[in-house]
Coordinates of all heavy atoms in Angstrom, one line a residue:
Chain A
Y160 N -18.5 22.3 0.0 CA -18.1 21.3 -1.1 C -17.4 22.1 -2.2 O -17.9 23.0 -2.8 CB -19.4 20.7 -1.6 CG -19.1 19.7 -2.7 CD1 -19.0 18.4 -2.5 CD2 -19.1 20.2 -4.1 CE1 -18.8 17.5 -3.5 CE2 -18.9 19.3 -5.1 CZ -18.7 17.9 -4.8 OH -18.6 17.0 -5.9
R161 N -16.2 21.6 -2.5 CA -15.4 22.1 -3.6 C -14.8 21.0 -4.4 O -14.1 20.1 -3.9 CB -14.2 23.0 -3.2 CG -14.4 24.3 -2.5 CD -14.4 24.1 -1.0 NE -13.0 24.1 -0.4 CZ -12.7 23.4 0.7 NH1 -13.6 22.7 1.4 NH2 -11.5 23.4 1.2
Q162 N -15.0 21.0 -5.7 CA -14.3 20.0 -6.6 C -13.1 20.6 -7.2 O -13.1 21.3 -8.2 CB -15.3 19.5 -7.7 CG -14.7 18.3 -8.4 CD -15.8 17.5 -9.1 OE1 -16.6 18.1 -9.8 NE2 -15.8 16.2 -9.0
T163 N -12.0 20.5 -6.4 CA -10.7 21.1 -6.8 C -9.8 20.3 -7.7 O -8.9 20.8 -8.2 CB -9.9 21.4 -5.5 OG1 -9.9 20.1 -4.8 CG2 -10.6 22.4 -4.6
G164 N -10.1 19.0 -7.8 CA -9.2 18.1 -8.3 C -8.1 17.7 -7.3 O -8.1 18.3 -6.2
G165 N -7.3 16.7 -7.5 CA -6.3 16.3 -6.5 C -5.1 15.7 -7.2 O -5.1 15.3 -8.3
M166 N -4.0 15.7 -6.4 CA -2.7 15.2 -6.9 C -2.1 14.2 -6.0 O -2.2 14.4 -4.8 CB -1.7 16.4 -7.2 CG -2.2 17.5 -8.1 SD -0.9 18.5 -8.8 CE -0.4 19.4 -7.3
I167 N -1.4 13.2 -6.5 CA -0.6 12.3 -5.7 C 0.9 12.6 -6.2 O 1.2 12.4 -7.3 CB -1.0 10.9 -5.9 CG1 -2.4 10.6 -5.5 CG2 0.0 10.0 -5.1 CD1 -2.9 9.2 -5.8
L168 N 1.7 13.0 -5.2 CA 3.1 13.4 -5.5 C 4.0 12.2 -5.7 O 4.0 11.3 -4.8 CB 3.6 14.4 -4.5 CG 2.7 15.5 -4.1 CD1 3.3 16.4 -3.1 CD2 2.2 16.3 -5.3
V169 N 4.8 12.2 -6.7 CA 5.7 11.1 -7.0 C 7.2 11.5 -6.9 O 7.6 12.4 -7.6 CB 5.4 10.5 -8.4 CG1 6.2 9.2 -8.6 CG2 3.9 10.2 -8.6
E170 N 7.9 11.0 -6.0 CA 9.3 11.5 -5.7 C 10.4 10.9 -6.5 O 11.4 11.5 -6.7 CB 9.6 11.2 -4.2 CG 9.2 12.4 -3.3 CD 9.9 12.3 -2.0 OE1 9.9 11.3 -1.3 OE2 10.5 13.4 -1.6
N171 N 10.2 9.6 -7.0 CA 11.3 9.0 -7.7 C 10.8 8.0 -8.7 O 9.6 7.8 -8.8 CB 12.3 8.3 -6.7 CG 11.5 7.3 -5.8 OD1 10.8 6.4 -6.3 ND2 11.7 7.4 -4.5
N172 N 11.7 7.4 -9.4 CA 11.3 6.5 -10.5 C 10.6 5.2 -10.1 O 9.7 4.7 -10.8 CB 12.5 6.2 -11.5 CG 12.8 7.4 -12.3 OD1 11.9 8.2 -12.7 ND2 14.1 7.7 -12.5
S173 N 11.0 4.6 -9.0 CA 10.4 3.4 -8.6 C 8.9 3.7 -8.1 O 8.0 2.9 -8.3 CB 11.2 2.6 -7.5 OG 11.1 3.3 -6.3
E174 N 8.7 4.9 -7.5 CA 7.4 5.3 -7.2 C 6.6 5.6 -8.4 O 5.4 5.3 -8.5 CB 7.4 6.6 -6.3 CG 7.8 6.3 -4.9 CD 7.6 7.6 -4.0 OE1 7.2 8.6 -4.5 OE2 7.9 7.5 -2.8
L175 N 7.3 6.1 -9.5 CA 6.6 6.4 -10.7 C 6.1 5.1 -11.3 O 4.9 5.0 -11.8 CB 7.5 7.1 -11.7 CG 6.9 7.6 -13.0 CD1 5.8 8.7 -12.7 CD2 8.0 8.3 -13.8
E176 N 6.9 4.1 -11.3 CA 6.5 2.8 -11.8 C 5.2 2.2 -11.1 O 4.3 1.8 -11.7 CB 7.6 1.7 -11.6 CG 8.2 1.2 -12.9 CD 9.3 0.1 -12.6 OE1 8.9 -1.0 -12.3 OE2 10.5 0.6 -12.6
L177 N 5.2 2.4 -9.8 CA 4.1 1.9 -9.0 C 2.8 2.7 -9.4 O 1.8 2.1 -9.6 CB 4.3 2.2 -7.5 CG 5.2 1.2 -6.8 CD1 5.6 1.7 -5.4 CD2 4.6 -0.2 -6.6
M178 N 3.0 4.0 -9.6 CA 1.8 4.9 -9.9 C 1.3 4.6 -11.3 O 0.1 4.7 -11.6 CB 2.1 6.3 -9.6 CG 2.2 6.7 -8.2 SD 0.9 6.0 -7.1 CE -0.5 6.9 -7.7
E179 N 2.3 4.4 -12.2 CA 1.8 4.1 -13.6 C 0.9 2.9 -13.6 O -0.2 2.9 -14.3 CB 3.0 3.9 -14.5 CG 3.6 5.2 -15.0 CD 5.0 5.1 -15.6 OE1 5.6 4.0 -15.5 OE2 5.5 6.1 -16.2
S180 N 1.3 1.9 -12.8 CA 0.5 0.7 -12.7 C -0.9 1.0 -12.0 O -1.9 0.5 -12.4 CB 1.3 -0.4 -12.0 OG 0.5 -1.4 -11.6
F181 N -0.8 1.8 -11.0 CA -2.0 2.1 -10.2 C -2.9 2.9 -11.1 O -4.1 2.7 -11.1 CB -1.5 3.0 -9.0 CG -2.5 3.2 -7.9 CD1 -2.9 2.1 -7.1 CD2 -3.1 4.4 -7.6 CE1 -3.9 2.3 -6.1 CE2 -4.0 4.6 -6.6 CZ -4.4 3.5 -5.8
V182 N -2.4 3.9 -11.8 CA -3.2 4.7 -12.7 C -3.9 3.9 -13.7 O -5.1 4.1 -14.0 CB -2.4 5.9 -13.3 CG1 -3.1 6.5 -14.5 CG2 -2.1 6.9 -12.3

Side-chain angles (χ1 to χ4, degrees):
Chain A
Y160 177 92
R161 293 97 77 212
Q162 192 160 44
T163 50
M166 302 199 291
I167 300 176
L168 310 184
V169 186
E170 268 198 308
N171 55 51
N172 286 322
S173 73
E174 285 188 358
L175 187 61
E176 243 182 82
L177 284 170
M178 286 319 288
E179 278 165 350
S180 163
F181 195 69
V182 163

